[in-house]
Amino acid sequence: MNREEWLDAAAKRFCAEYLFEELDVHVSVSWPSRGGLSQTKRRIGECWKPETSKDGHSHIFISPMLTDPVTVLGVLLHEMIHAWDRCESGHRGAFIELARKVGLEKPWTATSPGADLSQRLSILATELGPYPHVGLEPTLVEKKKQSTRQLKISCVECGYTARVTRKWLLVGLPVCPCGTEMEEERSEA
């Protein structure tokens, strides 16, 4: 079973147990449209209205950073409530009513399963088997350090330093205010 099959199996169980109807949803692992890499308010799931899709189905995306099956199931259930509501209520009204009924707790903008729901999600995760996904952690990728475009030049007589672009070094080295021609400092790298 691949991860989409795993998510589809979970979605079918949620429909049968909580939503009382079959939903036409496509579930996959992908980055949310925004906020997926945010350090403060990271989005871990997203539901798109059926009207946004050419096939008329809601689309649910689960963050590729998630690896814990119980967490993934909680996010999936939260997003399925949005799909059930056709994304009409946001995190108010009908969304809150069903979220409470299935065992989610405040804050409604987060996925916060209560103790009973957490236990049920854990049982479901065991029944489904391991979540077949390797998490992505793009924040672990080292950012390339930008080297300065300015080159350091200095005076061997008085120690005066300045910075200049390579373009102006090609024209010639400047003269220090003390009257000595300056030299480019070479890095030892």
Side-chain angles (χ1 to χ4, degrees):
M1 176 181 310
N2 66 34
R3 66 184 178 200
E4 276 70 22
E5 292 168 338
W6 191 94
L7 291 165
D8 284 338
K12 283 180 178 34
R13 288 285 295 274
F14 289 154
C15 284
E17 292 179 29
Y18 302 118
L19 304 175
F20 316 112
E21 61 183 85
E22 277 296 314
L23 292 176
D24 287 328
V25 297
H26 293 296
V27 184
S28 58
V29 174
S30 183
W31 297 106
S33 60
R34 61 187 162 127
L37 297 174
S38 171
Q39 295 299 319
T40 54
K41 290 189 175 187
R42 179 174 294 156
R43 283 191 180 187
I44 56 176
E46 191 169 70
C47 179
W48 285 67
K49 292 181 178 191
E51 295 82 19
T52 63
S53 173
K54 291 183 180 182
D55 67 2
H57 295 85
S58 292
H59 286 257
I60 294 174
F61 301 102
I62 306 295
S63 171
M65 295 176 81
L66 301 181
T67 57
D68 175 61
V70 175
T71 302
V72 170
L73 290 172
V75 171
L76 176 60
L77 181 56
H78 175 109
E79 299 306 329
M80 286 191 69
I81 295 170
H82 284 301
W84 166 81
D85 184 40
R86 299 178 64 85
C87 301
E88 296 295 324
S89 300
H91 293 105
R92 297 180 295 278
F95 174 88
I96 293 174
E97 287 178 36
L98 187 53
R100 270 198 187 113
K101 189 173 186 175
V102 303
L104 291 173
E105 297 177 345
K106 287 182 178 180
W108 303 116
T109 55
T111 301
S112 308
D116 182 51
L117 178 58
S118 291
Q119 185 176 2
R120 288 182 282 152
L121 294 177
S122 184
I123 291 167
L124 177 57
T126 302
E127 291 172 7
L128 291 170
Y131 179 48
H133 172 71
V134 177
L136 296 178
E137 191 60 55
T139 55
L140 294 179
V141 176
E142 266 189 56
K143 292 184 179 177
K144 184 179 175 187
K145 182 182 172 189
Q146 180 182 347
S147 61
T148 181
R149 290 176 187 81
Q150 301 285 312
L151 302 171
K152 190 174 183 181
I153 55 173
S154 61
C155 176
V156 291
E157 290 294 319
C158 69
Y160 178 83
T161 62
R163 296 205 177 261
V164 65
T165 63
R166 169 96 34 223
K167 171 185 168 184
W168 292 111
L169 282 182
L170 294 173
V171 172
L173 286 164
V175 175
C176 175
C178 75
T180 308
E181 186 176 88
M182 300 179 81
E183 292 182 1
E184 178 183 356
E185 287 190 17
R186 303 275 180 191
S187 64
E188 300 286 324

